[in-house]
Every structure is written in structure tokens, then in C-alpha cells.
Amino acid sequence: MRVSVTTPVNRRSRRARVFAGTALGATLVLAASGCSGNETLGLHSKPAVKLAITPVNGTGDVPPDGPIVVKVADGKFQNVTVSTTKGVKVEGQANHAGTQWQSRWALEPATSYQVMVTGLGQDGKTQTLTSNFTTLKAKKTIEASVVAPNAGEKVGVGMPVILHFDKAVANRDQVEKNLEVRSTVPVEGAWHWLDDQSLVFRTKQYWPVNTKVRVVGHLAGALAAKNAYGAKNIDLNFRIGDSHITVASSTSHSQVIKKNGKIIRRMPLSMGRGGIRKYTTTNGLHLTMDKEYLTVMDSSTTGCGPGCSDYYREDVYWTVRISDSGEYEHSAPWSVGSQGSENVSHGCINLSPSDAIWFWNFSYRGDIVKVTGTDRELEPANGWGFWQESWKDWLKYSALKRPVTTTALDGASVLTAAPGDTLSVPSTPGTSQTPATTPSPSPTHS
């Protein structure tokens, strides 16, 4: 029987009433056949199957973050069908013992559901039990949007998945439990909270080339904060392109570009001249974030306006952004004479026009640009500096404190359980993190 699973969230007194009696007992609706006439002869007949469904038939205002649970005793499941009255199927999973089935994800608010279960008893007879119930209407909602990547985008091997929530998320663990990442190649990764409105997924190692990825957020109905439920689901598809890794050295004044592990181009360059901290190119693992044909770079955004000795305002072409502190790889015809021998920029990586055009056309968003040789380290919260954190540190800011392995692209994720166990995942209190998302400033460096 193919089913998928939903994890429960924090218990509340209201749900305790609605979901009371999940164990088989007198408080549940049971389906069973009567006693055999053989008992009057002192003979023992095999028992009939007993079935139970939570929520019970006719229940209204069911909290959408609570699971649907189906149990069987003295027999086994033959079939479990769960859907909305509009025909949308609900994913779930049975435990190894085949004694319990549980929905995997949060339920849609203000939606009617129908459950039908058929079981086969030890007596060889089948029984069927149904339940129809309705979830409550959410008075408060929290909506998630995808910051990056774009739907259908081909991206680099370092590409993160970045989500933004329109209100603060208090129950971070409940949000994480309702997110899944699927891919054509299994990959280990983890979710990481930058603050209470920003959530990022990063893989432990770079994505395998040519991998297709799907991110499914079952967030409608997830209890994201007190009395506030997720407003809508997320379904994002993108794909990984070739491996593009650039290593740029401030000491050799050059960069080497590899495609799928093979060097395909070398370029002379000029990096930040230093002297002032903001004019030192940041060291470490950058990701290409955006590219533009024309970017206006203006030092007044950092306090050096007209009249300042270092003031500049330049139209800069073929720009590829690598941080939020104004760093780009770009065309710099004015510094061609220094490229390959001297660092003269305000922090950007200066290239010749021909090299800049080639790099611009070559780059995906999410490509790796490793800068070496400077004494100013890239901060993890500066742009997409997520690869600057070790895997151990990255996991610290997962609410569940654990990695996940991507599941099959066209299948549902599966949780396992020991015989007789339910498939619920224990809640882990959310944690806070001091670094906050850095807003994208106006371009400053050239």
C-alpha cells in the first residue's frame, strides 16, 4: 500500500478534545462483526477486524495541523483512501506492523475531508469504516514566498533555496516538518533559519551536475505561529547545470575557471586595493547572485558623496554580483593596464571587456567563486555567503537540528518506524540566530 506521512504539531487543549481516544477503545467509532455462535459450544473463533479513524465522523473545526490517524486491530489494512471532497488525495504512511496509518502533511484549512478504510480480520471477513470531517477556517495566516531560485531556472551547483515569510514564524520546527526537497539524485542537505522570516536550504556538498530538483512546501495549514496557519503551499521546480567553479587570487592577480572539473579559461584581474576595509575584496566562497548588462555603481550609498575625495558614480557593464556588500565581477576597461599585476579596484573583481562578456555569458546564478589571498573574510549573511559556514555550524540553525536526504523527484518522502510505532516525528523547540538577512544595497564597488 503506497502512502505518505504528515507529522503532528504542538498539542493544544482543543485538539486534545477533537483527537481524544486515538487508541482503540470505547471513545472511538469501531467496526467489528458480532460474536460467533461457536462460543456457546465453548469453542474459540478468530476475532473480527476492528477499525478506528481520528477525527471521528462528523467532526467540525478540526485543527489543520493535526494528523489523520487510522488504526486496525485483529487484522490488517486492505485499503486506506483519504482525500478532500474535491478529490485532492492526502499522502500518508503505514507503520511497519501495518497497524496504523497517519497523514504526512498539514491539512488545508476550511476544507472537507473524507476517509475510507477497509480491513481484513483474522476471521477472514472484511470491514469498512468511513469518516467525514471539516477543518477550521484560519483567522490568521502566514504566507511564504520563494526568493531564489526562479521556477524552471538552470542554476549552479552551489545554489541555495531561499524562502521568505511575510510574518514572524514562531513554530520553526512545524514549518520545517512540512517541507520536502526531491531530486533525481539523492543529496544530503539541511534547512537553516537566518532569522524568524528567512529560511534557507543548502546541500552538504555541491549539487550533482544536471540534477532536477523539486521543493514542495505543504505549508497551508501548518501551525507557523500561535493561532496562525500557513496560507498556501509551495511547489518549485528547477535544475542544476554544469559545475562552474572559479578560483580568483588577489596575490596572483588572476582567476582560473573550471567547468565540470576541467580548466577552460584563465583571466588576469584586479581586485580591491585595500587601505580602507570596504575596498578590500572579501575572501572565501561566494555564489554568483545576479547579473546585469548595466549597473550604476555609486559610492554615495556608503557615505562618500559628491565632494568626497573617493567619490565615484560609474556606468559599469557586464556585471555579475557575488555579495551584498557591493562586490561584482565586471568589465573594467579603465584598469586593463593593472589587471594581472596590481589590485586597484574599490573591492570588485575587474576584468577586461572581452573576459567580462565571456564570464557574464558563462555564469549561472549559484556558481561558485572562491576568492583567495585577502584578509577580509566574507560573512555568511553577506549575500549568499552560506558556504562560508561549516556543515556542523549550518545544522545548528535548523529547528529540527538534523539533515535531510532528498527523496525521489516524482515520489513522496517516506518516514520509517519500528513495528507498532506511529510515524510521528518528535517536536524540537525552535532556536534563534543572531545574524539577520542583509538587505541588498545599491551597487557601490567598481
Side-chain angles (χ1 to χ4, degrees):
M1 172 172 54
R2 179 186 178 278
V3 280
S4 358
V5 233
T6 241
T7 54
V9 294
N10 298 330
R11 305 298 187 194
R12 301 181 300 147
S13 60
R14 186 175 190 179
R15 186 184 311 112
R17 295 194 300 271
V18 173
F19 289 95
T22 55
L24 294 174
T27 57
L28 294 177
V29 178
L30 301 181
S33 63
C35 297
S36 168
N38 289 335
E39 291 183 3
T40 61
L41 302 176
L43 299 176
H44 297 287
S45 63
K46 292 182 178 180
V49 68
K50 301 179 182 66
L51 303 170
I53 300 172
T54 305
V56 298
N57 187 47
T59 306
D61 287 340
V62 172
D65 56 308
I68 300 169
V69 179
V70 180
K71 291 189 175 185
V72 62
D74 296 330
K76 59 183 180 181
F77 290 122
Q78 282 198 321
N79 185 56
V80 177
T81 302
V82 185
S83 65
T84 68
T85 53
K86 294 182 179 180
V88 179
K89 299 296 183 182
V90 174
E91 297 177 0
Q93 176 72 28
N95 62 1
H96 289 317
T99 59
Q100 179 169 309
W101 181 96
Q102 183 170 308
S103 56
R104 173 67 176 101
W105 311 110
L107 306 177
E108 295 269 357
T111 301
S112 296
Y113 286 85
Q114 51 192 15
V115 185
M116 177 179 292
V117 55
T118 300
L120 176 65
Q122 295 178 21
D123 61 356
K125 297 179 180 179
T126 61
Q127 297 285 343
T128 297
L129 184 64
T130 61
S131 175
N132 292 272
F133 65 90
T134 303
T135 53
L136 61 79
K137 182 179 180 180
K139 295 181 179 179
K140 297 180 181 179
T141 60
I142 295 178
E143 185 169 334
S145 59
V146 178
V147 176
N150 297 325
E153 184 177 4
K154 181 190 285 188
V155 298
V157 295
M159 188 71 189
V161 177
I162 305 174
L163 304 182
H164 176 75
F165 296 83
D166 64 351
K167 302 180 187 69
V169 174
N171 301 332
R172 298 181 180 184
D173 56 335
Q174 307 309 318
V175 168
E176 280 189 42
K177 287 177 182 179
N178 282 283
L179 294 169
E180 61 174 331
V181 182
R182 306 175 184 178
S183 62
T184 49
V185 178
V187 177
E188 184 178 5
W191 292 98
H192 177 114
W193 292 88
L194 300 179
D195 54 39
D196 58 12
Q197 290 182 259
S198 303
L199 180 60
V200 179
F201 179 86
R202 197 205 89 185
T203 49
K204 183 178 182 180
Q205 306 294 334
Y206 298 148
W207 289 101
V209 299
N210 300 319
T211 300
K212 294 181 180 179
V213 185
R214 183 181 180 190
V215 179
V216 184
H218 307 268
L219 298 176
L223 188 62
K226 184 177 180 180
N227 298 323
Y229 294 92
K232 66 178 184 180
N233 295 324
I234 288 173
D235 197 342
L236 170 71
N237 288 276
F238 62 96
R239 59 192 179 115
I240 311 301
D242 293 313
S243 172
H244 295 170
I245 297 180
T246 298
V247 179
S249 170
S250 69
T251 55
S252 70
H253 312 292
S254 65
Q255 66 183 14
V256 176
I257 300 163
K258 292 183 178 181
K259 177 180 178 180
N260 297 331
K262 181 180 179 180
I263 295 175
I264 60 170
R265 196 168 177 112
R266 299 176 188 270
M267 299 177 179
L269 57 78
S270 181
M271 287 195 195
R273 71 192 189 199
I276 300 176
R277 193 68 172 166
K278 66 182 179 180
Y279 295 156
T280 301
T281 307
T282 55
N283 202 70
L285 291 170
H286 302 68
L287 293 178
T288 53
M289 301 172 63
D290 291 297
K291 55 185 185 180
E292 297 177 318
Y293 166 66
L294 170 64
T295 301
V296 178
M297 297 190 178
D298 189 344
S299 65
S300 62
T301 61
T302 60
C304 184
C308 173
S309 61
D310 283 328
Y311 173 73
Y312 59 85
R313 180 182 172 87
E314 292 280 349
D315 289 346
V316 181
Y317 295 90
W318 306 107
T319 65
V320 178
R321 184 159 64 101
I322 60 172
S323 79
D324 272 348
S325 56
E327 294 170 309
Y328 293 77
E329 296 220 13
H330 65 76
S331 173
W334 57 85
S335 69
V336 168
S338 298
Q339 292 167 22
S341 60
E342 187 180 7
N343 292 323
V344 298
S345 85
H346 291 95
C348 288
I349 297 177
N350 285 188
L351 303 173
S352 70
S354 60
D355 282 343
I357 292 170
W358 182 92
F359 189 78
W360 191 93
N361 286 313
F362 174 76
S363 297
Y364 309 129
R365 292 203 304 163
D367 286 346
I368 306 297
V369 176
K370 182 179 181 180
V371 175
T372 66
T374 84
D375 62 358
R376 180 189 174 192
E377 205 67 16
L378 175 69
E379 304 90 344
N382 183 354
W384 296 351
F386 310 128
W387 290 97
Q388 286 290 88
E389 288 199 358
S390 68
W391 185 242
K392 181 179 179 181
D393 287 340
W394 185 260
L395 287 175
K396 289 179 182 178
Y397 299 105
S398 160
L400 299 178
K401 296 293 190 296
R402 67 185 184 209
V404 296
T405 299
T406 60
T407 55
L409 185 67
D410 298 321
S413 61
V414 174
L415 297 181
T416 59
D421 289 346
T422 65
L423 293 170
S424 59
V425 178
S427 299
T428 303
T431 58
S432 60
Q433 180 179 0
T434 51
T437 303
T438 305
S440 300
S442 300
T444 56
H445 291 169
S446 61

